[in-house]
Amino acid sequence: ALQLHEDAQFVTGKLDILSFNALLGVCRQASRWEEAHRILHDLKGYGLSPTVPTYKAVISACARATRWSDAVGHLSSLMKTLDTPTTPGSGNPSSNSSDFILQY
């Protein structure tokens, strides 16, 4: 999956948040927390804003690998993002942090 992601990036020159989230889902299933960190950094480098599913996948990858401090750090970042006012089309999550905690 990681190679496919890199190939798609090379061929198309750009990736969207859905392709990053799909890749993060693979990292979550495989407990590949280090790859999840790298991918989160990469998507921000593309100028994309992480969504709630993005953070959920990264947090889950860290949790599955028992990287609790990393999981809590990403949860903190998510909560800051959710508490920030959003504008339509900004790509930022639109729900509040308490809704996320109840889902997770």
Side-chain angles (χ1 to χ4, degrees):
L2 295 172
Q3 185 61 48
L4 182 61
H5 175 78
E6 290 174 9
D7 291 347
Q9 181 179 353
F10 178 75
V11 171
T12 65
K14 72 175 207 172
L15 298 169
D16 62 11
I17 193 67
L18 295 176
S19 61
F20 279 101
N21 286 350
L23 186 57
L24 286 168
V26 172
C27 291
R28 178 189 69 230
Q29 291 297 322
S31 303
R32 300 282 303 263
W33 66 274
E34 291 171 316
E35 291 295 331
H37 279 288
R38 183 184 63 79
I39 293 163
L40 180 63
H41 178 74
D42 289 352
L43 79 87
K44 290 177 180 178
Y46 269 86
L48 299 172
S49 297
T51 61
V52 170
T54 305
Y55 280 110
K56 286 175 77 171
V58 174
I59 291 166
S60 293
C62 292
R64 285 177 180 245
T66 64
R67 299 291 299 192
W68 303 116
S69 62
D70 293 311
V72 170
H74 289 299
L75 180 59
S76 177
S77 295
L78 170 63
M79 292 175 69
K80 288 176 188 172
T81 300
L82 293 175
D83 290 336
T84 303
T86 60
T87 56
S90 67
N92 289 332
S94 59
S95 62
N96 65 41
S97 55
S98 62
D99 289 342
F100 174 78
I101 299 300
L102 291 174
Q103 286 179 0
Y104 196 72

